[in-house]
PDB file of all heavy atoms in Angstrom:
ATOM      1  N   ALA A 230     -36.371 149.954 263.145  1.00 95.00           N
ATOM      2  CA  ALA A 230     -35.868 150.714 261.924  1.00 95.00           C
ATOM      3  C   ALA A 230     -35.063 151.855 262.368  1.00 95.00           C
ATOM      4  O   ALA A 230     -34.479 152.584 261.450  1.00 95.00           O
ATOM      5  CB  ALA A 230     -37.011 151.147 261.072  1.00 95.00           C
ATOM      6  N   GLU A 231     -34.930 152.239 263.639  1.00 92.00           N
ATOM      7  CA  GLU A 231     -34.110 153.289 264.084  1.00 92.00           C
ATOM      8  C   GLU A 231     -33.648 153.076 265.527  1.00 92.00           C
ATOM      9  O   GLU A 231     -34.358 152.311 266.220  1.00 92.00           O
ATOM     10  CB  GLU A 231     -34.753 154.702 263.923  1.00 92.00           C
ATOM     11  CG  GLU A 231     -36.145 154.689 264.914  1.00 92.00           C
ATOM     12  CD  GLU A 231     -36.977 155.976 264.642  1.00 92.00           C
ATOM     13  OE1 GLU A 231     -36.565 156.802 263.886  1.00 92.00           O
ATOM     14  OE2 GLU A 231     -37.909 156.070 265.423  1.00 92.00           O
ATOM     15  N   ASP A 251     -38.702 145.283 270.354  1.00 98.00           N
ATOM     16  CA  ASP A 251     -37.690 145.821 269.340  1.00 98.00           C
ATOM     17  C   ASP A 251     -37.695 144.824 268.186  1.00 98.00           C
ATOM     18  O   ASP A 251     -37.766 143.629 268.395  1.00 98.00           O
ATOM     19  CB  ASP A 251     -36.312 146.019 269.976  1.00 98.00           C
ATOM     20  CG  ASP A 251     -35.493 147.026 269.268  1.00 98.00           C
ATOM     21  OD1 ASP A 251     -35.866 147.397 268.204  1.00 98.00           O
ATOM     22  OD2 ASP A 251     -34.381 147.338 269.809  1.00 98.00           O
ATOM     23  N   ILE A 252     -37.421 145.329 267.008  1.00 98.00           N
ATOM     24  CA  ILE A 252     -37.242 144.518 265.787  1.00 98.00           C
ATOM     25  C   ILE A 252     -36.181 145.175 264.900  1.00 98.00           C
ATOM     26  O   ILE A 252     -36.085 146.391 264.796  1.00 98.00           O
ATOM     27  CB  ILE A 252     -38.514 144.233 265.033  1.00 98.00           C
ATOM     28  CG1 ILE A 252     -38.234 143.254 263.871  1.00 98.00           C
ATOM     29  CG2 ILE A 252     -39.148 145.531 264.509  1.00 98.00           C
ATOM     30  CD1 ILE A 252     -39.516 142.718 263.222  1.00 98.00           C
ATOM     31  N   GLY A 254     -33.486 144.988 261.387  1.00 97.00           N
ATOM     32  CA  GLY A 254     -33.169 144.440 260.036  1.00 97.00           C
ATOM     33  C   GLY A 254     -32.694 145.514 259.162  1.00 97.00           C
ATOM     34  O   GLY A 254     -32.678 146.698 259.568  1.00 97.00           O
ATOM     35  N   THR A 256     -32.397 146.676 254.731  1.00 96.00           N
ATOM     36  CA  THR A 256     -32.839 146.337 253.390  1.00 96.00           C
ATOM     37  C   THR A 256     -31.935 145.291 252.754  1.00 96.00           C
ATOM     38  O   THR A 256     -32.389 144.322 252.093  1.00 96.00           O
ATOM     39  CB  THR A 256     -32.793 147.588 252.450  1.00 96.00           C
ATOM     40  OG1 THR A 256     -33.396 148.646 253.204  1.00 96.00           O
ATOM     41  CG2 THR A 256     -33.533 147.439 251.126  1.00 96.00           C
ATOM     42  N   ASP A 320     -23.613 148.963 262.014  1.00 94.00           N
ATOM     43  CA  ASP A 320     -24.273 149.053 263.309  1.00 94.00           C
ATOM     44  C   ASP A 320     -23.395 148.463 264.399  1.00 94.00           C
ATOM     45  O   ASP A 320     -22.852 147.410 264.271  1.00 94.00           O
ATOM     46  CB  ASP A 320     -25.547 148.227 263.297  1.00 94.00           C
ATOM     47  CG  ASP A 320     -26.641 148.862 262.368  1.00 94.00           C
ATOM     48  OD1 ASP A 320     -26.690 150.123 262.404  1.00 94.00           O
ATOM     49  OD2 ASP A 320     -27.395 148.077 261.632  1.00 94.00           O
ATOM     50  N   ARG A 344     -25.501 153.578 264.281  1.00 72.00           N
ATOM     51  CA  ARG A 344     -24.529 153.227 263.290  1.00 72.00           C
ATOM     52  C   ARG A 344     -23.224 153.856 263.542  1.00 72.00           C
ATOM     53  O   ARG A 344     -23.166 154.914 264.143  1.00 72.00           O
ATOM     54  CB  ARG A 344     -25.002 153.798 261.903  1.00 72.00           C
ATOM     55  CG  ARG A 344     -26.177 153.061 261.364  1.00 72.00           C
ATOM     56  CD  ARG A 344     -26.301 153.368 259.908  1.00 72.00           C
ATOM     57  NE  ARG A 344     -27.293 152.415 259.372  1.00 72.00           N
ATOM     58  CZ  ARG A 344     -27.239 151.969 258.168  1.00 72.00           C
ATOM     59  NH1 ARG A 344     -26.358 152.370 257.372  1.00 72.00           N
ATOM     60  NH2 ARG A 344     -28.154 151.181 257.722  1.00 72.00           N
ATOM     61  N   LYS A 440     -38.512 157.186 260.010  1.00 92.00           N
ATOM     62  CA  LYS A 440     -37.315 157.294 260.792  1.00 92.00           C
ATOM     63  C   LYS A 440     -37.111 158.760 261.121  1.00 92.00           C
ATOM     64  O   LYS A 440     -37.076 159.637 260.296  1.00 92.00           O
ATOM     65  CB  LYS A 440     -36.201 156.825 259.926  1.00 92.00           C
ATOM     66  CG  LYS A 440     -36.218 155.376 259.566  1.00 92.00           C
ATOM     67  CD  LYS A 440     -34.935 154.881 258.876  1.00 92.00           C
ATOM     68  CE  LYS A 440     -35.087 153.573 258.246  1.00 92.00           C
ATOM     69  NZ  LYS A 440     -34.141 152.602 258.640  1.00 92.00           N
TER      70      LYS A 440
HETATM   71  O1  LIG B 518     -35.002 150.012 258.647  1.00 59.42           O
HETATM   72  C1  LIG B 518     -35.627 147.756 258.129  1.00 59.42           C
HETATM   73  C2  LIG B 518     -36.610 147.713 259.275  1.00 59.42           C
HETATM   74  C3  LIG B 518     -37.940 148.113 259.042  1.00 59.42           C
HETATM   75  C4  LIG B 518     -36.192 147.319 260.537  1.00 59.42           C
HETATM   76  C5  LIG B 518     -38.859 147.989 260.111  1.00 59.42           C
HETATM   77  C6  LIG B 518     -37.090 147.206 261.528  1.00 59.42           C
HETATM   78  C7  LIG B 518     -38.422 147.679 261.374  1.00 59.42           C
HETATM   79  P1  LIG B 518     -33.112 150.199 256.364  1.00 59.42           P
HETATM   80  O2  LIG B 518     -34.016 151.303 256.000  1.00 59.42           O
HETATM   81  O3  LIG B 518     -32.295 149.592 255.315  1.00 59.42           O
HETATM   82  O4  LIG B 518     -33.955 148.954 256.846  1.00 59.42           O
HETATM   83  O5  LIG B 518     -32.288 150.689 257.555  1.00 59.42           O
HETATM   84  C8  LIG B 518     -31.408 149.710 258.186  1.00 59.42           C
HETATM   85  O6  LIG B 518     -31.694 150.915 260.236  1.00 59.42           O
HETATM   86  O7  LIG B 518     -28.682 149.283 259.679  1.00 59.42           O
HETATM   87  C9  LIG B 518     -29.885 150.183 261.528  1.00 59.42           C
HETATM   88  O8  LIG B 518     -28.833 151.131 261.465  1.00 59.42           O
HETATM   89  C10 LIG B 518     -31.233 150.820 261.639  1.00 59.42           C
HETATM   90  N1  LIG B 518     -32.073 149.903 262.398  1.00 59.42           N
HETATM   91  C11 LIG B 518     -33.051 149.066 261.983  1.00 59.42           C
HETATM   92  N2  LIG B 518     -33.645 148.429 262.992  1.00 59.42           N
HETATM   93  C12 LIG B 518     -33.088 148.987 264.161  1.00 59.42           C
HETATM   94  C13 LIG B 518     -33.353 148.883 265.524  1.00 59.42           C
HETATM   95  C14 LIG B 518     -34.915 149.052 257.927  1.00 59.42           C
HETATM   96  N3  LIG B 518     -34.296 147.973 265.991  1.00 59.42           N
HETATM   97  C15 LIG B 518     -30.749 150.443 259.347  1.00 59.42           C
HETATM   98  N4  LIG B 518     -32.660 149.548 266.390  1.00 59.42           N
HETATM   99  C16 LIG B 518     -29.903 149.426 260.168  1.00 59.42           C
HETATM  100  C17 LIG B 518     -31.661 150.400 265.912  1.00 59.42           C
HETATM  101  C18 LIG B 518     -32.166 149.923 263.724  1.00 59.42           C
HETATM  102  N5  LIG B 518     -31.384 150.626 264.697  1.00 59.42           N
END
Side-chain angles (χ1 to χ4, degrees):
E231 61 185 2
D251 204 351
I252 185 166
T256 314
D320 291 322
R344 288 196 169 212
K440 296 187 193 234

